Every structure is written in C-alpha cells, then in structure tokens.
Amino acid sequence: MGTDIARNGNCLAYYIGGIVIRQLRALWRNVFRRKQLDRELDEELRAYVELASAEKVRAGMAPEEAFRDACRNAGGMDQLKQGVRDVRIGVSLERLLQDLRYALRALAKTPAFTAVAVVTLALGIGANTTVFSVVDAVMLRPLPYSNPQRLVEAESSNNRTPGSVAVSYPDFFDWRAQNRTFEHLVSYHDTSFSLTGVARSVHLDGQVVSWDLLPTLGIDPELGRGFRPEEENRGSRVVLISHALWTSQFGLDKSIVGRNISLSGEVYTIVGVMPSSFRFPVDQPQNAFWTTLALDDDPSDLHPAVTNRSGHFLAVFGRLKPGVSVAQADQDLNTIAARLAKQYPDTNTKHNSVIVETELASLLGDTRTLLMVVLGAVGLVLLIACGNIANLLLARMRDRQREIAMRFALGAGRIRVVRQLVTESLVLGMAGGLAGCGLAFAGMPAALRLIGDSVPRAADAGVDLPVLGFAFCVSTLSGLIFGMIPAVIASKTDLVSTLKEAGRSDIAGHDWLRSAVIIGQVALGIVLTAGAGLLITSFLKLMHTDEGFNSDHLLTFLFETPDSRYKDARPQFYREYFEKLRALPGVQAAAGSMILPMTDNSARISFENPEHPVPEGLEPSAELNPVSPGYFHTMQVPLLDGRDFTEADDMKSPQVMVISQAFAQKYFPGEEPVGKKLKPGAGNGTPGGPPWREIVGVVGDIRHSATQREMSPAMYLPASQLPTWCCLYSVVRTSVEPHSLEPAVRQLVSSMDRDVPVTEIHTMPELLTLQLAQPRFAMALLGAFAGLALILTVVGLYGVMTYSVSRRTREIGVRLALGAQRSTVLRMVLRDAAVLVGAGMVLGVAATLASASVLKTMLYGTASRDPLVLVAVCIVVALTGLLAAYLPALRAAAINPMQALRTD
Amino acid sequence: MPTRQSDLLQGTLDLLILKALALQELHGMGISRRIAQMTNGTFDVKAGSLFPALHRMEQAGWLTSSWGESETNRRAKFYALTKPGKKQLHTESERWERISLAMATALRTT
C-alpha cells in the first residue's frame, strides 16, 4: 500500500514533469526554431489547400478556380498562418523579443537621434534620481527606532499666538503623570561636558533625558543596561555612552560598564554602551553620551530647573499607546495644558496648549517644503526633457509614416504596430535611465557636499535598491509619456493616402501638437526660472544683509566653566581670562557672550515693565543674552545711547541691563529708555528671585540668525551679574588671520584650567556659511535645474524651428522666387517662434503667480511674486528663445529659390 | 444545415478532433472530412479554427505529428493521439455525455 502511494506519487511527479518539460521544449522551439516551424506550417497549410482544391477538381471545378476557392475558404493564407502562430506557447515573449530587435535596429539606424535622446533623458533621470535618493533618505525612510510611526513630538504653545516653544520640567512631569495616551513620554535637551582624567581632556556633546529613553525608542544598549526610574532622583549620576566614545576613549574595553568617569568635574557611572548605529536625536550624530535629568536637580540651586515652571528649554517626545492617533494624543495633552494654565496662571497662561506632531514631521519642519520644491522642480526638468524627445519623435514619425503604412498593408495589426513603437520608446527610456543612474551615482558626492548638514539625515542618501526602483519607474513613465505621440499618430495613419502621396505628405494637424509641446516647455521653463530667480534674489539679499556687527576677522570658540569648580568664581575667572586674552599678540579686542549670533542658539525670557503692567502670566518676552564688558566694542555694534557694561558692574553694584534698538522702539516708543527699570525673569542666584534692573544703554540691533526675517527686541545682561549661568563663548577681533590664533588660545585656556578643552572654534564668516547652507543649496539646485530647463527648451525650440524651416523649404523658395525679401522671410520665421515663446510665457507667468506661495517659507526679504524677478526671467527666456530661432531663420532666409524648387 | 464555426461550443472542437483521431492518424484535411462525416455534415470545421486548434493541442501534448504521404502522394502532416490525448478523449467524452444528458433532461422537463 505504502509503495503503491509512493509509485503513484512518482507517476504523478513524472507526469507533471513530463508536461513541464514538453511545454518548455515547445517554448524553446517556438522562440528559437521559428524559421523551421514557419516553413513546416507553410507546407502543412499548402498541403491542406491542395487537397481541398483536388477535391473540388474531382467535383468538376476548373483547377485554378478550385485553388482560389480553397484559399478563400481557408480565410486567406497569411491570416491563417497568423492564427496558428497566435496559439503558440511563448508567443508574447517571442513578440517582445521581436519588438526589441526592431526597436534596437530602428534606433541604431539613426544614431544622432538616439544619442541626443539618451543624453537628454540621462540628464533628466539622473537629476531626478539624485534628488529622490535624498528625499528617500530624509523623508521616506522610517526613523531608526522600533515602530517609529508611534513616536510623536510635543511642544508647548499658546492658542492665541502661532508657533511653539520648549517645555518646562514641571509641565513635563505633569504631562507625564496625567496623560492617558502615551506609553512613555520623554524629555531631552542638549548639554555638553568635558571628559577629564583621560590623556587629553575632550569636549563631548550629549543629552539630558528622562529615564525611559531607551524603552521609548525600543533600542537596547550594546553593552550594559538602560537607565532605571530611580536614576532620575537627585544626586544620581549615570551615563550611557556612544559606541564612538567607547572606541575612541576606552579602546572597546568590555569592562567599561560600572566604571566611573569624570565629566566636567563630577563623577558619573557608565551603565551602558549604545550600538554604533544609535543616534538620538537623529539629527545629532555627534552625541557621545546620555545622562538622566537628575543633572537638572541641583540641590545647591535655589530654583533648580526641575521645579522651575518658567524655564522652558525641554524638547518632549513620546511613544503613543497602540491604536492611539496623533489627534487623540494632541487632545489629551491640550486638556492637561489647559488645566495647568488655570492651576498656575502666572507661569502657564502663555503655555495653555500643546502641539503634537509625528516625530518625522517635527524633525523635517520646513525642510519638507524645501525637498518637495526641489523634487517638483527636477520633475519639471524631466517633463521638459520628455517634451524635447516627443518633438524629435514627431519629426521622425514623418519619415516613418510610409514604413508604418507599409506594415499595415502587409497585414500587421494596428495594436501590433503601436506596441512596437511603444517598445521603441521604452527602450529609449531604459537606455536614458541606465545612463541617468550612472550620472546619479557619479553626482551623489557633489550633491551631498552641497547639502552638508543643512538637511537632517541627508548624509545617509545613496543610490540603493529603492532609488534604482524609482529610476526604473521614472524611465518607464517617461518612455510612455513621449512614446504616446508616435503611437497615437501611427494608430491614426491613413494607409491609402500615405502610400499614395509617397511619403511627401505631412501629418495633418501635427504642427499644433509640436507647438503645444514647445509652449508647454516654455511655460515650465518660466516657472522653474522664476523660482530659481526668486531664490537667487533672496540668497543675495541674505548674503548682503547687514548683520548689525562686523563679522570680519572675528574668531569664536567655547569652553566650559563647570559648576563643580566655578559656581562662585565665574565672574572673577572670566575677568582674568579676558584680560589675558586681550593681551595676546594679534588680538584687537575680546569679550564673551552666552548666545553667539549665527548659531542656532537662542534664549528668550519674559520681563516685567512697571509702566505697562499686564495681567500675571501675560508678560512680554524678548531675546536674552548675558555678555561680558566690551562685547559690543568687540562685535562693533554701535552704542546708541548710555553706556556699555564695565568691570564695575558686579553682584555688589546696582543690577543693570542694556537693550537693543528694536527693544527700545517696541517698548519705549518716543521715550528715553536709559534710566528706566525692568525686571527680566533671569534669576541671579540670590534669594528673592530676579532683581529689578536699570537700563544703562541702548545698542544697535544684531541679526541673530542668518535667516531671521526681522530684527527682534533683545536684552543684554552683564554676565558678571549672573554668576550661576554658564558658559560664555569667546569672541575675538584679530588683526591677523583668525585661525592662526588657535594654538595661543588653547594654550591660554589650558594654562588657566588644564581640564577644560576648547571647542567649537570657528570664524564668524564660517558660522554664516553654515547657517546659509540650506538656502544656498536650495538656490544652487533650483538654479541648476532652471539652467538645464532653459537649455532643453532652447534646444527644443531650435529643433522645432529648424524642422519647420526644412519642411517649408519649397514654400519659402516660392515666396523668394515671387520676389519676397530675405528680411521678410527672416521676420516670418522669427515671428512664428515669437508666437510660441509668447504663448508659453503667458502660461508660465500665470502658473508662476498661481504657485508662488509654495516658495514663501524659503524666501527672505523677497516677495514670492516679485515683479522684477518675473520681468527679468521673461526677458531671459525671450532672448534665449529668439536666439534659438535666429539660426533657423537665417537658414530660411538663405534658401536658394532655384534649388528649393528643383528639389522636392 | 452546416453550423457556423463560431457556434461551436468551447471545447467541442477539441473533443471532435480527439474523436476523429481515435481510430487512425489523419492530416488536417482528413480530420476536417472525418468530422463532417461523423456529424453527418452538421459541423464543417474551417481551416481558420482547425489549424490553431491542432497546434494548440499538439503543444498540450494530446497530439503528436509526423510527416507522411497523402492519398494523392503529397507530403502532408499527419496527427495522431498520444497517451495523454487518449486519456483526454476519455474524460472529455464522459464529461460531454453527462452534460448532454443533463441538458436533454432539463429541456424535456415541463
């Protein structure tokens, strides 16, 4: 029985195997032994017809008539053969191969056309692939955490004013305790330490986080463990370190877990090492450690950050419970925020709502618009390229009409011919795509250099499988787009008239098609060029904006003055340090500032104004910057009124402040601000909270960030009157090349404290360049695409005009022969081109005006419908367009009437 | 009255060809004649459906073909049933008989 089943099974397998083998053999024969098969089929059918006619002859019919009759009965020999071929296995594969063969042959016959088309496509597809690879890395790839779609970012906001601010610790703790929609809610903020007790102390960037960072992200340490809840408690000092730090400072020592290290003068216990791929936050790959928020619970501080509801400096993100939507979480936290605003009106009235968005959206911010604009622009470039190829194909179709009509006549089905033409276009598309991928591969490093750090995660971009898939789809799509035109024409080809006119006819009504393509191209070109023009204008404005200070020969750097050693000695230390710094050769002036312009740092604080009392909790706020004496002199910010800080402004003297011009104009319009008193909410460590401060001076406005749209009101406080605040950036005005001072500066700092490494050494122009990276790359990319679009459009227009002139040679010859002036002919051709360009321009300007608002967030000091830019763009397009038409026009005017009439 | 080819039920032509070849191998014309004879001239299979069907069935492995001489001493392609073809004829005939019986019963029912 068992063997029976086995035998049956074997039989079945043999049977199925037999079928498969037979089918494969048939397929092989059908595809590769076609000629022999066709010969046999021919003979078989001929035998059939002969036998049939022999029968008819026997029935008394004349032999010839019998044969014709038999053929007719069979339904026509060619159709009969085709009918048999159609049932063959692999017939579609065979046809595909045949179509491909024809396509390659047809393309090889016109190498110039093929080369132009492939190069055009390669440029378009290459640019698209490059941009897409960045978009893929930045926007499409999920964040490198487990179930990243459930991660959201929450920010404090006010339901009456747009925008959002950071969160305070007490608010965060209340959100964490009261919410019902989050599995975990985590706070984090930047910090930096000096790692000492190693060969040479190093500056490290890191994050202060709540204990459940790792469970929230769903990531395990490579070594050791994550934080425990009790490690948020006062006095706890534990760190997780990055794989990079483990490698560079601890030589991959596996016994590192549990070891104590010294960070900025305090002892921390290493509890774990994170994997090398770990990044948190995602856009800060340099982070070397993570520690708990116990750091912000300083017992020696009267108002430690963890209890200060006014101290808004936290970022908050969380993991939603399964099935909870972003909207539900948003509602949940908003309910809590509204409750807190009632409970603590003095601190929370301004923070009565919350904005929750997905972590990815929060990470991208405005970059999303930028990337979409760039992707859209590069898509338009490809569309223009397709337009060019479509026009080339149109011209080519005229020569091939006869060939196609002939094929119809020989029995080819319309679908068959159309499919063959589409195959040809697809082959072109694929060839262009292949070359484009090569271009993208080659151009990737340059593109990434251009983008730099200005787009989070862009550095991960590369030509990988999804990107190749994209390139393939784009190639197919463009093949189909420009392949439509010849296919449609072929399917409309009128057999009889085409053959009769011996190919001299033109395809009626296709001129408008050609014109429409050119008009569309010009319109798209205008949209792109206008966008690029706006970005260039905006960038030039940014470059030449007055920053309010002199950035030339300005060196900046930072070192820590850790609380463990400088808590009470900071003012004294900085005074001595800046004295020594100013004495260095090559230093003209030097000072300190907690917030350095042209970095992304900023601090805002609210203030009380006794002359304009407002309800508690609604105090206005302004930029805050604690500085050392001589800061305005060093930065060359004009002192407009009153005096600068001096060394005499210390804790014992009256508390003072300096305000910016914008501050004076906004809060003291038409008044003399010097001598007035305000209370900025900046505690100086003394009991009784922030003191009242007298305004002693007014200084010019400083542009704080390169992309800041307007000067914002600012308050400057003497750093010496805020001894608990850390740390001051040094700004040094040099008479020599700024970077040449680096060794002297390092030596000075280490001579005063060998455990504080100097970091972030930049010149001010370098900081400016870094800040302008995003607008610069947007401008460069859009500029390049607009240039490409213009070139393609001009080439397209040139091609169409040349073609049109060559077609009208005879007509122009007749005109000339009948006495037309050559200048008239020249004008006629130029006028034709001008009509096309003009129509495209009108469309393009309309489209630009309609879509202008897209660019709004990317423009600085430039209106998104800037008429000057539009006019300039139109002039450029008009001029290049006429240039493209001029050569064909000249050629038309130079036609020799006799020759033109004789040929054709 | 000869039926038009398009009226042939799907599958009927295959079955008729298999049946025509059950006794002996035949060439295309022969199959056509045999079918006409078997059905008393009801089915007149035209070349346009016969040859595609023959080639399809050969690819399916039901038929095999070889070159031979026709009755007029002309080289012609002869078709014969294979083992799977005989099996197919058997199952198809059974199926057809079931269907025609069911149809006849259905039509007789008032």
Side-chain angles (χ1 to χ4, degrees):
Chain A
M1 169 99 187
T3 50
D4 258 17
I5 290 175
R7 198 177 312 134
N8 281 343
N10 276 343
C11 275
L12 191 65
Y14 181 77
Y15 180 71
I16 291 174
I19 290 178
V20 170
I21 287 169
R22 208 160 37 233
Q23 301 251 326
L24 282 177
R25 206 185 296 144
L27 180 67
W28 175 261
R29 259 203 329 268
N30 291 346
V31 174
F32 296 101
R33 296 268 176 277
R34 241 171 57 87
K35 284 213 175 106
Q36 189 194 338
L37 272 181
D38 279 351
R39 253 199 324 273
E40 287 185 11
L41 177 63
D42 224 31
E43 186 158 10
E44 179 181 6
L45 295 179
R46 217 169 31 237
Y48 172 85
V49 172
E50 278 174 21
L51 284 168
S53 59
E55 214 164 61
K56 287 179 201 293
V57 169
R58 272 203 302 281
M61 217 181 257
E64 271 174 33
E65 197 189 334
F67 185 76
R68 265 207 308 279
D69 204 41
C71 279
R72 208 171 29 246
N73 272 350
M77 288 302 271
D78 285 328
Q79 280 77 0
L80 182 53
K81 273 188 236 172
Q82 198 53 50
V84 174
R85 284 195 206 109
D86 282 346
V87 302
R88 283 183 187 159
I89 290 174
V91 66
S92 48
L93 179 66
E94 176 206 324
R95 284 206 182 138
L96 182 69
L97 286 177
Q98 197 181 35
D99 284 346
L100 281 177
R101 247 192 331 263
Y102 281 152
L104 289 175
R105 205 185 300 153
L107 290 175
K109 255 196 299 194
T110 48
F113 161 82
T114 309
V116 168
V118 169
V119 167
T120 307
L121 267 181
L123 286 174
I125 294 176
N128 271 276
T129 307
T130 311
V131 170
F132 177 79
S133 68
V134 173
V135 169
D136 175 53
V138 175
M139 289 175 56
L140 302 182
R141 253 180 241 171
L143 293 170
Y145 309 122
S146 124
N147 285 321
Q149 70 284 355
R150 274 166 52 205
L151 295 178
V152 297
E153 188 86 10
E155 283 179 297
S156 222
S157 73
N158 182 293
N159 55 10
R160 269 173 307 174
T161 50
S164 58
V165 291
V167 184
S168 72
Y169 266 118
D171 286 351
F172 163 68
F173 292 139
D174 288 336
W175 292 2
R176 180 160 82 171
Q178 297 172 22
N179 84 78
R180 284 173 309 217
T181 45
F182 288 88
E183 255 173 25
H184 293 282
L185 208 55
V186 173
S187 71
Y188 61 101
H189 72 86
D190 294 353
T191 193
S192 58
F193 285 149
S194 311
L195 172 66
T196 56
V198 289
R200 188 179 155 206
S201 35
V202 282
H203 176 91
L204 301 177
D205 287 314
Q207 294 285 316
V208 178
V209 300
S210 36
W211 75 271
D212 45 359
L213 174 72
L214 298 193
T216 310
L217 296 175
I219 306 260
D220 290 324
E222 178 179 355
L223 207 65
R225 60 169 175 87
F227 301 126
R228 293 175 180 146
E230 64 272 19
E231 283 166 347
E232 281 188 2
N233 295 345
R234 176 175 281 198
S236 173
R237 291 290 182 270
V238 287
V239 278
L240 286 163
I241 62 170
S242 71
H243 185 91
L245 183 64
W246 186 40
T247 313
S248 64
Q249 294 295 333
F250 305 108
L252 298 172
D253 181 357
K254 294 242 194 256
S255 68
I256 193 74
V257 173
R259 196 187 297 176
N260 288 340
I261 54 170
S262 175
L263 292 173
S264 293
E266 285 198 82
V267 174
Y268 284 74
T269 307
I270 296 177
V271 296
V273 177
M274 296 310 295
S276 59
S277 61
F278 180 73
R279 273 191 265 167
F280 179 83
V282 159
D283 55 348
Q284 296 181 16
Q286 77 278 15
N287 280 336
F289 69 88
W290 297 266
T291 186
T292 64
L293 52 85
L295 181 70
D296 294 322
D297 192 4
D298 183 348
S300 66
D301 203 333
L302 277 171
H303 298 283
V306 288
T307 60
N308 182 0
R309 226 174 253 281
S310 310
H312 286 255
F313 61 96
L314 295 179
V316 172
F317 86 104
R319 175 171 293 279
L320 297 176
K321 286 181 180 163
V324 170
S325 70
V326 175
Q328 283 168 319
D330 189 87
Q331 201 181 9
D332 188 20
L333 289 189
N334 267 301
T335 313
I336 299 170
R339 198 157 57 218
L340 292 177
K342 283 210 189 82
Q343 209 173 340
Y344 309 102
D346 53 334
T347 52
N348 280 44
T349 309
K350 273 188 292 185
H351 306 291
N352 59 359
S353 69
V354 182
I355 297 171
V356 178
E357 56 183 348
T358 66
E359 193 63 22
L360 191 56
S362 145
L363 177 71
L364 287 174
D366 279 348
T367 309
R368 190 188 167 79
T369 317
L370 167 72
L371 286 180
M372 290 332 278
V373 164
V374 170
L375 191 64
V378 81
L380 293 186
V381 170
L382 183 59
L383 212 54
I384 293 177
C386 285
N388 271 5
I389 297 171
N391 259 340
L392 284 175
L393 284 172
L394 264 175
R396 185 176 146 91
M397 274 309 283
R398 184 187 174 232
D399 307 331
R400 292 183 66 186
Q401 283 250 290
R402 244 167 85 77
E403 169 204 331
I404 286 161
M406 192 64 86
R407 281 162 68 182
F408 282 143
L410 293 178
R414 243 161 237 270
I415 291 177
R416 190 71 211 283
V417 169
V418 166
R419 206 172 52 190
Q420 206 265 303
L421 288 169
V422 171
T423 307
E424 213 173 296
S425 301
L426 285 179
V427 167
L428 262 187
M430 288 300 140
L434 220 59
C437 281
L439 274 186
F441 204 76
M444 211 62 219
L448 290 185
R449 242 194 331 273
L450 188 63
I451 295 172
D453 289 337
S454 63
V455 175
R457 298 209 289 166
D460 303 342
V463 180
D464 54 10
L465 214 59
V467 172
L468 288 178
F470 171 84
F472 176 77
C473 292
V474 166
S475 310
T476 313
L477 196 67
S478 27
L480 286 178
I481 289 175
F482 58 70
M484 290 293 284
I485 289 175
V488 166
I489 292 172
S491 67
K492 286 190 180 150
T493 296
D494 179 27
L495 206 156
V496 177
S497 68
T498 310
L499 285 179
K500 244 193 225 153
E501 290 176 30
R504 220 185 290 158
S505 78
D506 190 30
I507 307 148
H510 292 159
D511 268 348
W512 73 261
L513 203 53
R514 242 190 306 275
S515 306
V517 170
I518 273 291
I519 290 172
Q521 283 180 307
V522 171
L524 292 181
I526 293 258
V527 171
L528 274 179
T529 321
L534 286 173
L535 288 178
I536 290 169
T537 316
S538 148
F539 189 77
L540 291 179
K541 285 222 171 109
L542 277 182
M543 291 280 288
H544 295 109
T545 313
D546 180 17
E547 286 105 26
F549 62 92
N550 181 2
S551 61
D552 191 38
H553 278 80
L554 205 53
L555 185 71
T556 68
F557 54 88
L558 175 71
F559 59 87
E560 308 268 329
T561 46
D563 278 354
S564 53
R565 273 170 293 142
Y566 293 96
K567 185 130 190 143
D568 304 311
R570 244 180 225 124
Q572 163 116 26
F573 172 83
Y574 277 124
R575 193 161 55 238
E576 280 171 28
Y577 159 72
F578 282 119
E579 253 164 44
K580 287 182 181 168
L581 186 57
R582 283 184 204 110
L584 287 180
V587 173
Q588 283 181 345
S593 146
M594 206 165 287
I595 307 291
L596 195 62
M598 305 305 155
T599 61
D600 288 328
N601 299 346
S602 76
R604 285 184 75 84
I605 205 154
S606 59
F607 62 91
E608 287 176 46
N609 184 349
E611 292 177 24
H612 300 279
V614 289
E616 214 175 18
L618 289 176
E619 295 87 0
S621 66
E623 303 276 345
L624 173 80
N625 193 3
V627 298
S628 79
Y631 176 68
F632 305 114
H633 168 67
T634 309
M635 296 288 280
Q636 296 179 7
V637 177
L639 183 66
L640 304 173
D641 198 1
R643 66 169 177 92
D644 186 5
F645 300 128
T646 67
E647 302 293 355
D649 294 314
D650 59 16
M651 284 306 285
K652 282 169 250 145
S653 65
Q655 303 289 298
V656 293
M657 64 188 288
V658 165
I659 58 170
S660 72
Q661 196 176 5
F663 191 103
Q665 280 162 359
K666 181 159 182 196
Y667 297 106
F668 301 105
E671 294 175 67
E672 167 62 47
V674 172
K676 296 231 172 9
K677 286 197 165 186
L678 295 176
K679 193 204 265 186
N684 57 2
T686 53
W692 286 93
R693 292 178 181 274
E694 186 182 331
I695 298 171
V696 294
V698 179
V699 293
D701 289 316
I702 287 186
R703 193 167 289 275
H704 220 81
S705 129
T707 54
Q708 192 175 324
R709 282 165 212 273
E710 54 193 14
M711 297 293 197
S712 49
M715 302 183 286
Y716 297 91
L717 309 190
S720 52
Q721 291 183 348
L722 295 167
T724 53
W725 291 44
C726 179
C727 307
L728 291 180
Y729 279 89
S730 302
V731 290
V732 185
R733 177 79 57 190
T734 68
S735 53
V736 294
E737 199 281 307
H739 275 297
S740 69
L741 278 179
E742 219 181 296
V745 163
R746 282 189 193 278
Q747 210 197 336
L748 169 64
V749 174
S750 90
S751 76
M752 294 184 71
D753 185 339
R754 58 174 294 273
D755 278 343
V756 291
V758 175
T759 179
E760 294 183 45
I761 302 186
H762 297 291
T763 66
M764 193 49 81
E766 286 167 5
L767 290 177
L768 250 166
T769 308
L770 282 176
Q771 284 244 305
L772 291 180
Q774 191 160 327
R776 178 182 298 109
F777 108 74
M779 172 196 73
L781 280 185
L782 234 64
F785 297 156
L788 198 55
L790 263 189
I791 292 173
L792 288 174
T793 310
V794 165
V795 167
L797 186 65
Y798 171 81
V800 166
M801 293 318 289
T802 307
Y803 177 73
S804 136
V805 166
S806 81
R807 235 191 45 220
R808 292 167 67 184
T809 303
R810 209 176 138 86
E811 174 211 323
I812 293 170
V814 170
R815 279 170 190 260
L816 287 171
L818 292 178
Q821 295 292 309
R822 289 190 185 278
S823 58
T824 318
V825 172
L826 190 78
R827 268 206 303 279
M828 180 182 77
V829 176
L830 285 181
R831 197 176 52 229
D832 285 355
V835 166
L836 292 179
V837 173
M841 240 185 231
V842 170
L843 264 180
V845 168
T848 304
L849 291 178
S851 62
S853 56
V854 173
L855 285 179
K856 216 166 162 187
T857 55
M858 295 164 63
L859 296 178
Y860 305 95
T862 311
S864 53
R865 293 188 175 82
D866 192 330
L868 270 178
V869 169
L870 266 179
V871 168
V873 162
C874 285
I875 290 175
V876 167
V877 172
L879 284 181
T880 45
L882 284 185
L883 198 69
Y886 195 65
L887 286 178
L890 274 184
R891 200 170 305 153
I895 285 172
N896 179 345
M898 286 317 289
Q899 230 165 19
L901 292 176
R902 250 185 243 129
T903 57
D904 236 22
Chain B
M1 184 199 81
T3 314
R4 285 165 46 120
Q5 299 164 10
S6 55
D7 292 342
L8 274 176
L9 270 171
Q10 181 76 39
T12 315
L13 178 60
D14 288 9
L15 182 53
L16 284 172
I17 292 173
L18 289 172
K19 181 74 188 162
L21 291 170
L23 293 180
Q24 59 182 127
E25 56 173 42
L26 291 168
H27 53 63
M29 190 68 217
I31 294 170
S32 178
R33 266 188 223 136
R34 175 93 179 110
I35 288 176
Q37 178 206 342
M38 287 190 307
T39 60
N40 295 327
T42 306
F43 291 120
D44 176 19
V45 184
K46 293 270 201 251
S49 11
L50 177 67
F51 284 100
L54 285 173
H55 283 252
R56 185 164 39 73
M57 291 165 76
E58 189 183 359
Q59 285 182 102
W62 299 337
L63 307 181
T64 172
S65 65
S66 56
W67 290 92
E69 289 221 333
S70 74
E71 58 277 18
T72 53
N73 297 331
R74 203 204 179 290
R75 218 168 100 85
K77 198 174 179 186
F78 282 79
Y79 290 88
L81 282 192
T82 61
K83 223 169 158 185
K86 279 178 189 147
K87 211 168 178 182
Q88 181 71 11
L89 173 60
H90 185 67
T91 51
E92 280 298 295
S93 316
E94 274 185 353
R95 201 172 69 91
W96 184 256
E97 269 160 26
R98 264 204 319 279
I99 291 172
S100 61
L101 190 68
M103 283 301 289
T105 318
L107 290 177
R108 263 199 308 275
T109 315
T110 47

